[in-house]
Amino acid sequence: MMLLYQCGGMLTIFVALELTSISLYILTAFHKGELRSQEAAVKYFMFAQISSAFLLFGHELHNGMTGATSIFAIGEAI
């Protein structure tokens, strides 16, 4: 979480969110014996990956419009 707080660029925001998500996937599938836990982990993983794809698409739109990946440069351009 501290990495997400200290991010200055769009790429580091994405990496920080993905690193946070890895631990959440593990916690979701913690009960190995239960089928519901495994099903929930797979559904959460698929939903998170689709959401990450949309997030990357939005980052690329900002990058295409402004030509920068820094949050401060994007704020100045907008």
Side-chain angles (χ1 to χ4, degrees):
M1 262 323 191
M2 290 301 294
L3 181 63
L4 187 60
Y5 176 71
Q6 297 175 350
C7 290
M10 295 296 221
L11 183 61
T12 53
I13 289 174
F14 178 74
V15 170
L17 284 173
E18 288 299 315
L19 286 175
T20 305
S21 296
I22 290 172
S23 62
L24 294 175
Y25 301 146
I26 294 169
L27 285 174
T28 306
F30 190 68
H31 294 290
K32 296 177 185 175
E34 289 192 33
L35 185 61
R36 291 177 63 192
S37 177
Q38 295 172 359
E39 179 184 357
V42 169
K43 286 181 181 179
Y44 178 57
F45 177 75
M46 297 302 275
F47 181 74
Q49 294 309 309
I50 292 169
S51 299
S52 294
F54 281 111
L55 180 70
L56 280 177
F57 181 68
H59 286 327
E60 289 305 314
L61 283 176
H62 281 122
N63 188 17
M65 288 189 306
T66 61
T69 59
S70 172
I71 294 174
F72 305 112
I74 291 172
E76 289 176 6
I78 291 178

